[in-house]
Amino acid sequence: MLGILGLFLSTSSAIAADPAQEGERYLRFQVGETTSYGILEGDRVRALDGDLFGSFSKTDRTYALEDVTVLIPTEPTQVLALAGNYRSHLGDEEIPPLFRIPQPFYKSPSSLVADGGNIVIPKDSPGPVHFEAELVIVIGKTTRKVSKEEAHEYVFGVTCGNDVSERYWQNDPENKDVQWWRAKGADTFGPVGPYIATGLNPDDLLMTLRLNGEVMQQERTDHLIHDVATMVSYISQYVTLQPGDLIFTGTPGETSEIKPGDVVEVELEGVGVLRNPVVGEE
């Protein structure tokens, strides 16, 4: 344990994207019955042929962004998230022992919802349900037992995320679940998107959450306790990650309640804005 602890408390290192994709923003979108990956070119989308995480090429098919339906940016086999990964969220000057190594948990793939999709609060939720703005890592290739030094080679890019959390199911001392399977993994509790950005340093991006236009969270990702390379390497020691898998990296500061009628926006520097209305389950 001490060896692992020492490894994963070392200083952060920048993550560089593959030079072939540097500085681009990719998206998964639908036009009619056709689903494709594309590259954002101003206010237009150019469709790609091939595998975004392998070999692909640009086509001559372009569409106005307003004419396409933006989808969840990948089709992941696994979605993980980090608990307690900002000092400002933990509320402690010193990092508690529990969080001196990364603390991943699972979110269900069915929790994912695209930009513009509704966050649906279950009708039997006692509440409150909170927002959590997060940087999300997009894995680019099969990742198994990689070192921290080589972890950047396995990161395709980053996107915006919101780790929606039902606090009663998560924290109530009398009635909380043993696992966070519904508190954080219920359907629509994982908004993500709209784009995958490459060529950024994910360990130093400004992240902002707005609730109905009011800034509620704002912090740079250089305040992460465990940086991107640390998280990817640590998880890969035990769980094999596949191309398109997603890692939510933790939320900063304080979170607060969202209710039907609200609109939540997560903005990540260099990526874009993830916008989701909140509704109650019918």
Side-chain angles (χ1 to χ4, degrees):
M1 175 63 75
L2 289 177
I4 294 175
L5 181 60
L7 171 64
F8 292 105
L9 283 178
S10 58
T11 57
S12 68
S13 58
I15 306 298
D18 185 325
Q21 295 137 359
E22 193 166 322
E24 304 289 6
R25 288 192 292 174
Y26 298 93
L27 68 158
R28 186 167 155 265
F29 70 97
Q30 184 172 346
V31 175
E33 300 299 316
T34 303
T35 297
S36 305
Y37 277 104
I39 187 169
L40 194 63
E41 298 179 344
D43 60 357
R44 298 192 67 81
V45 178
R46 183 174 300 278
L48 302 176
D49 279 344
D51 179 6
L52 182 65
F53 302 107
S55 176
F56 64 85
S57 60
K58 296 180 180 180
T59 72
D60 58 3
R61 303 188 307 276
T62 67
Y63 309 90
L65 181 59
E66 63 184 12
D67 293 336
V68 309
T69 300
V70 178
L71 304 175
I72 296 163
T74 70
E75 297 179 281
T77 63
Q78 299 184 98
V79 182
L80 292 101
L82 269 288
N85 204 22
Y86 285 86
R87 285 184 177 85
S88 61
H89 188 61
L90 296 173
D92 291 308
E93 289 294 328
E94 295 294 326
I95 302 172
L98 180 64
F99 297 108
R100 292 178 188 173
I101 61 172
Q103 293 293 343
F105 60 91
Y106 284 99
K107 290 176 71 73
S108 66
S110 73
S111 73
L112 301 179
V113 62
D115 176 57
N118 290 334
I119 298 168
V120 181
I121 297 179
K123 58 187 175 183
D124 62 342
S125 161
V129 176
H130 282 200
F131 58 73
E132 290 193 6
E134 307 208 4
L135 167 87
V136 178
I137 302 165
V138 181
I139 296 298
K141 55 186 176 181
T142 301
T143 307
R144 172 65 174 160
K145 291 188 179 297
V146 302
S147 69
K148 183 174 176 179
E149 291 69 29
E150 64 186 349
H152 69 277
E153 300 173 16
Y154 296 81
V155 175
F156 181 85
V158 295
T159 189
C160 308
N162 186 353
D163 179 24
V164 178
S165 304
E166 211 284 0
R167 298 304 193 199
Y168 181 87
W169 293 335
Q170 181 186 7
N171 294 326
D172 183 79
E174 299 287 334
N175 298 288
K176 70 178 180 180
D177 296 334
V178 173
Q179 300 290 335
W180 294 349
W181 69 280
R182 60 174 174 166
K184 289 174 171 283
D187 291 351
T188 76
F189 275 22
V192 65
Y195 315 121
I196 306 169
T198 63
L200 303 176
N201 174 9
D203 293 317
D204 190 16
L205 300 175
L206 180 65
M207 182 168 62
T208 304
L209 183 140
R210 292 181 290 272
L211 180 63
N212 303 323
E214 180 182 355
V215 173
M216 305 296 287
Q217 290 179 293
Q218 189 167 69
E219 193 159 334
R220 298 196 71 85
T221 59
D222 64 352
H223 292 173
L224 284 161
I225 293 172
H226 305 291
D227 66 9
V228 169
T230 298
M231 288 181 271
V232 171
S233 175
Y234 184 82
I235 291 170
S236 79
Q237 305 307 309
Y238 311 100
V239 174
T240 301
L241 299 167
Q242 299 296 337
D245 282 353
L246 304 175
I247 303 172
F248 286 65
T249 60
T251 200
E254 295 184 1
T255 66
S256 60
E257 187 174 10
I258 55 175
K259 298 178 180 180
D262 288 341
V263 176
V264 188
E265 294 177 313
V266 178
E267 182 171 4
L268 190 61
E269 181 181 3
V271 178
V273 179
L274 170 67
R275 183 179 186 274
N276 299 95
V278 182
V279 302
E281 183 180 21
E282 297 181 0

